[in-house]
Amino acid sequence: MDKQLAKISELKQQVLAIGYHQTQLNDIIREVVDEAKLGCITFEQSCELIGTLEYYCDFASKCKKVNCSE
């Protein structure tokens, strides 16, 4: 589970670095996990959250590429 939490932490930083606001990140997390503390989530929830955060990172990267190439 420590690997999962480390990956979540890494993805959270990537999401913020790519341009999302902290409030948006909190909303994304809340959509997947109702828990306030990520240390209390299940393994399944952590996997779902990782997938969701990866989706948002990929989406933002694709959007930046499209905007930069125009």
Side-chain angles (χ1 to χ4, degrees), residues 9-45:
S9 180
E10 175 188 325
L11 287 167
K12 285 171 51 179
Q13 293 306 314
Q14 287 179 19
V15 167
L16 293 172
I18 210 157
Y20 284 92
H21 188 271
Q22 181 66 51
T23 304
Q24 292 171 308
L25 175 59
N26 293 342
D27 290 342
I28 292 167
I29 293 170
R30 206 171 296 117
E31 285 178 19
V32 178
V33 183
D34 290 331
E35 299 291 326
K37 297 179 183 174
L38 292 177
C40 300
I41 64 175
T42 66
F43 181 79
E44 290 78 18
Q45 288 173 317

